[in-house]
Amino acid sequence: MRKWLAVAGAALLLPLAGVSGAAASGGDRGHGDSTCGGRGLLFCEDFQSEPLGGASSLKWGVDTKHGMLSVERDGRHGQKVLHVRTEGNGRAFLKVDDFAPPGNSFYGRVRLKVKAFPTAPDWAHYTLIETTGAGPEIVRPLGGQYVPEVGNGVALWGVGADGGPTGDWTNWRESAPSRAGVWQCVEWRMDATDNRITLWFDGVPKPDLTVSTRQHGGNQVDFLFPRFDTVKLGWQLYQGNPTPGSYDVWMDDIALSTQRVGC
């Protein structure tokens, strides 16, 4: 995995359509409110209607290797959540197929908790959200990397891509440490007009993580979105023999929309 540290570019935050101040803040999971009733939704899953046990649905697919998905009760609130578990450098994703956002642009939202991030090997790279389609770039709106050169070594969030002209890169930032053991609400925006990806954590914008056509972490060519048709959410680690040797992620309230959904 090639290491890279980008020069921070100015972030262009897009209009926050349909989000009130209350809805756009807070990483704690809601109680009893429907998360799938908003306008502009292209896909939504809160797992409340799914049976406990092995995860499967007619609404979405599963992509796993040395990993598994299950639906379980969250010990804190008693609501159903998706449990993602992998061994070593395995993967396990919930996969939204036949996805066709208008104008090839969309917002996403997921609540998530990661038990632990890798601490070895150096530069260990992980992905939690991946978007693909017609075109060579594999786009990763949310991933990260264990960076040994920051402090005593730290896992940092970063947007990234692979498989296309820009190469294999992760735009990690010291200002965005990956936090283990806590629920967070992560929102992202894919804007095809400038191939721009922006993120919010618990309603707070993270402009340092923004990438766009000319400002990204790869080769000095334009970064261009594919024509999206698939979104995957879960976990994948790319290096063998990592520490820890297995990974657990919990996800809930997944939404893809033409408008910002909020937290």
Side-chain angles (χ1 to χ4, degrees), residues 40-42 99-107 189-192 227-228 256-259:
L41 286 172
L42 303 170
F99 183 64
N104 207 39
S105 300
F106 66 97
Y107 289 87
R189 165 65 165 155
M190 316 289 286
D191 178 11
R227 173 62 63 177
F228 295 123
L256 307 174
S257 178
T258 59
Q259 306 178 48

Side-chain angles (χ1 to χ4, degrees), residues 45-244:
E45 179 61 87
D46 62 9
F47 304 102
Q48 298 314 299
S49 63
E50 294 297 317
L52 298 175
S56 64
S57 174
L58 295 177
K59 296 189 297 181
W60 40 265
V62 172
D63 176 15
T64 63
K65 182 178 181 181
H66 303 303
M68 61 181 293
L69 302 178
S70 60
V71 176
E72 63 181 40
R73 297 280 183 184
D74 172 29
R76 183 175 181 186
H77 297 307
Q79 294 182 340
K80 294 178 182 178
V81 299
L82 182 70
H83 182 190
V84 180
R85 181 172 177 83
T86 64
E87 297 291 334
N89 61 338
R91 69 176 185 268
F93 287 105
L94 178 156
K95 184 169 65 169
V96 183
D97 291 312
D98 300 321
F99 183 64
N104 207 39
S105 300
F106 66 97
Y107 289 87
R109 191 276 312 279
V110 61
R111 304 183 199 276
L112 60 85
K113 180 174 70 172
V114 181
K115 182 177 180 180
F117 291 93
T119 57
D122 290 351
W123 308 106
H125 174 216
Y126 45 92
T127 293
L128 285 87
I129 302 171
E130 183 174 278
T131 56
T132 56
E137 294 281 9
I138 300 170
V139 182
R140 293 160 179 159
L142 184 66
Q145 202 159 15
Y146 174 71
V147 182
E149 296 178 354
V150 175
N152 295 319
V154 63
L156 300 172
W157 290 123
V159 175
D162 196 2
T166 58
D168 181 6
W169 53 273
T170 302
N171 189 40
W172 53 262
R173 293 298 188 202
E174 292 186 46
S175 59
S178 297
R179 299 172 59 204
V182 295
W183 280 100
Q184 297 178 87
C185 176
V186 180
E187 300 172 83
W188 73 99
R189 165 65 165 155
M190 316 289 286
D191 178 11
T193 61
D194 191 25
N195 301 286
R196 183 175 295 267
I197 304 174
T198 52
L199 288 102
W200 298 259
F201 285 76
D202 295 333
V204 179
K206 283 290 186 179
D208 285 359
L209 292 174
T210 299
V211 303
S212 61
T213 306
R214 297 295 180 88
Q215 296 177 334
H216 55 79
N219 299 325
Q220 295 304 301
V221 296
D222 286 354
F223 170 56
L224 303 175
F225 288 170
R227 173 62 63 177
F228 295 123
D229 60 24
T230 303
V231 179
K232 299 197 298 185
L233 300 99
W235 176 270
Q236 182 169 7
L237 186 69
Y238 302 94
Q239 287 72 35
N241 301 312
T243 301

